[in-house]
Amino acid sequence: MELIIQPDQERAAHLVARIVAHELRMKPDLVLGLATGLTMQNVYRLLVQMHREEGLDFSRCRTFNLDEYVGLARNDPRSYRFYMIERLFKHVNVDFGNTHLPNGLAKNLDEECAQYEKSIADAGGIDLQLLGIGKAGHIGFNEPLSALRSRTRVKALSPATVEQNAPLFGGPDKVPRRAITMGVGSILDCRRCVMLACGADKAGVVAKAVEGPITSMISATALQLHARCVVIVDEAAGKLLKEKKYYRWIFENEPEWEPFR
Ligand code: F6R
């Protein structure tokens, strides 16, 4: 795992967008794993800008989202499909047929989850997975006690997640109680992971995820097992990290980061 601290939220999102752009230019048919949430909105805005201003080409890119609520239609403004269309898909030249999210309205949800895993495998696996982190430490909707080897499945949302998402639904009572999510094991199979966390309210959980022991109570800690994972934070989200000096030194000296400094 590597940890990169950027001065602010905009610079942190910019670094993530540049990593995506770099991978997409190297491999135009990139299999890109996507996350939703407030943090990722800046990344998608910057990718749209890169598409418009630099011709960043999504025409051969395949995408797989981490999760979707159970019970929401694709065109429901609160669904993650709708979020992706509004924030990214309709503004770039991605082929909609190449964009994948779990179907939260599937009659047989277990079958849908197995099919989702199969679609990812058929695409050759995910090259680059974008991740956010919930205040209680989830990646995707892998709530506390999610098995570190879990695969795509239906999960009940924790009270903390319901609370976090309540403003988007007009109150905790209206938040769906379940979601389909890629598992921790599915995420660990991705060839590269980039996690973005911004803001002071993520500082505690970022410190636990990066410097704490690996535990299924905080699924993001499983990323410590990943061979190629970078966590990008702004100063506020990184403020409780103990080894900041060391992380900055690595970023300054690691040849891989030369084009990104
Ligand atoms: C959403 C997802 C979640 C979010 C996390 C952070 O697809 O996978 O794990 O990334 O809850 O959400 P924000 O950015 O809204 O704080």
Side-chain angles (χ1 to χ4, degrees):
M1 182 185 271
E2 281 177 83
L3 193 292
I4 300 177
I5 304 167
Q6 292 290 283
D8 53 46
Q9 191 172 308
E10 185 66 14
R11 298 271 284 277
H14 197 245
L15 180 54
V16 176
R18 283 168 68 207
I19 293 171
V20 174
H22 176 79
E23 297 266 343
L24 200 48
R25 288 187 182 113
M26 302 255 293
K27 189 180 179 208
D29 64 345
L30 190 77
V31 181
L32 180 59
L34 299 170
T36 59
L38 292 175
T39 317
M40 283 300 150
Q41 291 185 12
N42 286 332
V43 175
Y44 299 140
R45 173 175 48 78
L46 291 164
L47 286 173
V48 169
Q49 195 178 321
M50 285 172 174
H51 169 69
R52 286 187 183 143
E53 292 172 9
E54 300 163 26
L56 185 64
D57 182 16
F58 289 81
S59 62
R60 293 174 59 202
C61 179
R62 280 108 16 106
T63 71
F64 287 89
N65 268 75
L66 283 168
D67 40 23
E68 180 60 282
Y69 292 108
V70 167
L72 296 190
R74 292 159 70 95
N75 57 356
D76 187 309
R78 299 160 306 174
S79 74
Y80 285 164
R81 162 71 68 182
F82 191 88
Y83 169 111
M84 288 312 308
I85 293 171
E86 291 301 308
R87 305 263 166 3
L88 182 67
F89 296 161
K90 79 176 187 190
H91 304 290
V92 297
N93 62 338
V94 71
D95 177 345
F96 273 55
N98 284 337
T99 65
H100 306 269
L101 284 97
N103 175 10
L105 279 184
K107 281 209 182 79
N108 185 333
L109 291 171
D110 290 341
E111 216 168 78
E112 170 65 16
C113 295
Q115 186 51 48
Y116 201 65
E117 287 272 336
K118 187 174 178 306
S119 307
I120 293 172
D122 290 348
I126 292 174
D127 293 308
L128 171 64
Q129 177 66 55
L130 301 184
L131 298 164
I133 181 170
K135 281 182 202 151
H138 70 200
I139 46 176
F141 275 130
N142 290 289
E143 304 293 57
L145 284 183
S146 287
L148 301 184
R149 297 175 70 173
S150 51
R151 312 301 307 185
T152 302
R153 70 217 183 286
V154 177
K155 279 296 288 179
L157 305 190
S158 67
T161 299
V162 169
E163 204 55 52
Q164 186 184 321
N165 292 345
L168 303 168
F169 285 86
D173 299 350
K174 304 203 173 75
V175 180
R177 289 294 181 259
R178 296 184 302 155
I180 295 178
T181 180
M182 275 166 59
V184 183
S186 328
I187 293 168
L188 292 180
D189 281 352
C190 302
R191 281 184 274 281
R192 187 176 187 188
C193 288
V194 175
M195 187 168 92
L196 175 64
C198 296
D201 58 347
K202 297 283 173 74
V205 79
V206 164
K208 285 184 191 159
V210 175
E211 295 177 337
I214 295 173
T215 166
S216 61
M217 287 302 288
I218 300 176
S219 60
T221 60
L223 295 171
Q224 295 175 28
L225 296 168
H226 196 283
R228 200 162 177 230
C229 173
V230 60
V231 177
I232 298 169
V233 297
D234 65 354
E235 288 284 354
K239 77 174 178 198
L240 296 177
L241 290 164
K242 291 198 186 83
E243 303 293 341
K244 273 187 274 199
K245 215 168 139 195
Y246 171 64
Y247 307 140
R248 291 192 211 275
W249 192 90
I250 293 285
F251 183 55
E252 287 308 318
N253 291 285
E254 192 69 65
E256 182 190 353
W257 295 114
E258 182 107 44
F260 297 97
R261 286 197 281 270

